[in-house]
């Protein structure tokens, strides 16, 4: 079946709408991500005050929140490796600096 000019315009508009929705979703996620990162960073600060180090176990059967923090710490290390190797990473120099100041073990 031959596509008409009107059909092509309709497809183009639909694609543009999908792109716009995707961009809006990404923008919302990017706004949310710093807050999530900061929340986890504050939990790491609390851990450091209590335990005098930033070496958080990645699994803790008795404390799911500690396990969550441990996974986050592991993700920071993985993201740092990507960052220093020139790959995609959500870690910024500012975040790296904050973790360094805290005594984070990469």
């Amino acid at each position: 079946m031959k596509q008409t000019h009107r059909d092509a315009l309709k497809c183009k508009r639909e694609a543009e709408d999908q792109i716009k929705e995707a961009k809006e979703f990404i923008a919302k996620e990017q706004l949310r991500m710093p807050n999530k990162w900061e929340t986890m960073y504050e939990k790491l600060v609390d851990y450091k005050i209590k335990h005098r180090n930033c070496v958080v176990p990645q699994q803790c059967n008795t404390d799911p929140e500690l396990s969550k923090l441990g996974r986050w710490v592991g993700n920071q290390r993985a993201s740092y490796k990507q960052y220093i190797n020139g790959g995609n990473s959500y870690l910024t120099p500012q975040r790296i600096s904050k973790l360094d100041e805290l005594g984070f073990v990469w």
Side-chain angles (χ1 to χ4, degrees):
M1 179 195 241
K2 187 175 179 182
Q3 185 177 22
T4 66
H5 181 67
R6 182 177 291 143
D7 292 337
L9 289 176
K10 181 180 177 187
C11 285
K12 181 181 176 190
R13 277 192 298 268
E14 288 173 357
E16 288 170 347
D17 288 345
Q18 289 175 344
I19 291 169
K20 181 181 176 186
E21 287 175 18
K23 286 181 179 180
E24 289 171 356
F25 174 79
I26 290 169
K28 286 179 186 176
E29 286 298 300
Q30 287 174 336
L31 288 175
R32 187 181 69 82
M33 285 292 285
N35 294 334
K36 182 177 178 183
W37 192 92
E38 290 295 332
T39 299
M40 294 306 291
Y41 174 79
E42 290 301 323
K43 289 181 181 186
L44 181 61
V45 170
D46 292 342
Y47 182 90
K48 167 86 186 250
I49 291 168
K50 184 175 181 180
H51 298 279
R52 297 182 170 219
N53 66 58
C54 295
V55 183
V56 184
Q58 291 201 11
Q59 290 184 338
C60 180
N61 295 334
T62 59
D63 188 349
E65 285 300 309
L66 186 58
S67 291
K68 184 178 178 181
L69 180 60
R71 285 189 304 273
W72 182 83
V73 165
N75 289 338
Q76 301 316 296
R77 291 187 182 112
S79 291
Y80 181 73
K81 287 178 186 174
Q82 289 176 328
Y83 177 83
I84 62 174
N85 290 322
N88 290 334
S89 172
Y90 60 86
L91 274 181
T92 63
Q94 294 82 9
R95 288 178 174 178
I96 292 169
S97 179
K98 283 181 82 164
L99 290 169
D100 282 340
E101 290 171 10
L102 192 59
F104 191 79
V105 178
W106 296 105

